[in-house]
Structure formats: structure tokens, C-alpha cells
Amino acid sequence: MAQASDTPAATAAPVQQLRIYEIFEDTKPHFHARFRDHALRIMRRYDFRIVAMWETKTAQRTEFAYLLEWPDETTMKDRWSKFMADEEWSEIKRQTRVHGRMVGEIQDRTLRVVPYSPQQRLLD
């Protein structure tokens, strides 16, 4: 008899995750270099599926936002845990602190598609 935990993750509804980082003008080039040259590479190691990335600016602050797609919330939490524990990523963050503070407030939102959404998945 199959248990609920035996159900493949692929049958669960996909979720999107929106991450928004406050970034600072004086360290923005260093932030983008770190994300582009290191974070993306290490994230691929843990099966991160980044859909798109943006930079936005308001009168109060500059933000970097990116959208990810995950097969389910369990996978999302597992991969983030592995990424945050990655020794190479920890060392890169330590080394790049010499440039100053690169990230302020971080917003993290899990997005669940509604049944009437015209598109259920963003990536195929």
C-alpha cells in the first residue's frame, strides 16, 4: 500500500518563489558580480530553476528581484537548506564582505498558482 510520502514530488503542484533583495548603490557592482559569478553557479548545483531576474529602483531603495520555480515546497526548502550550508558559498560571502554591506532587507515569497491561472508552469 502506497504511503503519502511515496508519492513522487513531480505530482505535487509546482510553486514559484519570489526573492527581493535590497541592494546598495555603492556596492551594487560587487553584489551583481557575486550573484552572477558565484551564486548562480552554486545554485545550479542544487537544481535551482531561475525563471528571470530584475533590478528595480524606487525613491527609497534599489532592489534585485528574481523568480524561481520549484516542483514543490518540500524541494524548495531542501535545496535552500543545502545551498545555505554550502561551504564554497559561505567562503565566497566571507571573502566578499571586504566590499561592504551588499544586501539589506530580504523578502521571500512562495507563490502558489491559482486554478484559473492561464499558465500553471513557467518553465518546461
Side-chain angles (χ1 to χ4, degrees), residues 45-97:
R45 191 181 301 163
Y46 298 107
D47 301 322
F48 279 55
R49 296 183 76 195
I50 297 176
V51 176
M53 295 177 269
W54 305 268
E55 187 177 298
T56 182
K57 189 170 185 170
T58 67
Q60 295 79 28
R61 64 198 236 169
T62 302
E63 296 174 329
F64 173 75
Y66 61 107
L67 183 68
L68 301 109
E69 183 168 83
W70 299 100
D72 53 64
E73 284 188 63
T74 301
T75 302
M76 177 182 75
K77 291 175 184 175
D78 175 70
R79 297 313 189 271
W80 271 108
S81 176
K82 289 176 179 172
F83 173 74
M84 295 307 287
D86 187 276
E87 289 181 28
E88 181 185 6
W89 179 237
S90 295
E91 180 61 18
I92 289 166
K93 287 194 302 184
R94 188 190 68 71
Q95 290 175 2
T96 57
R97 283 190 188 114

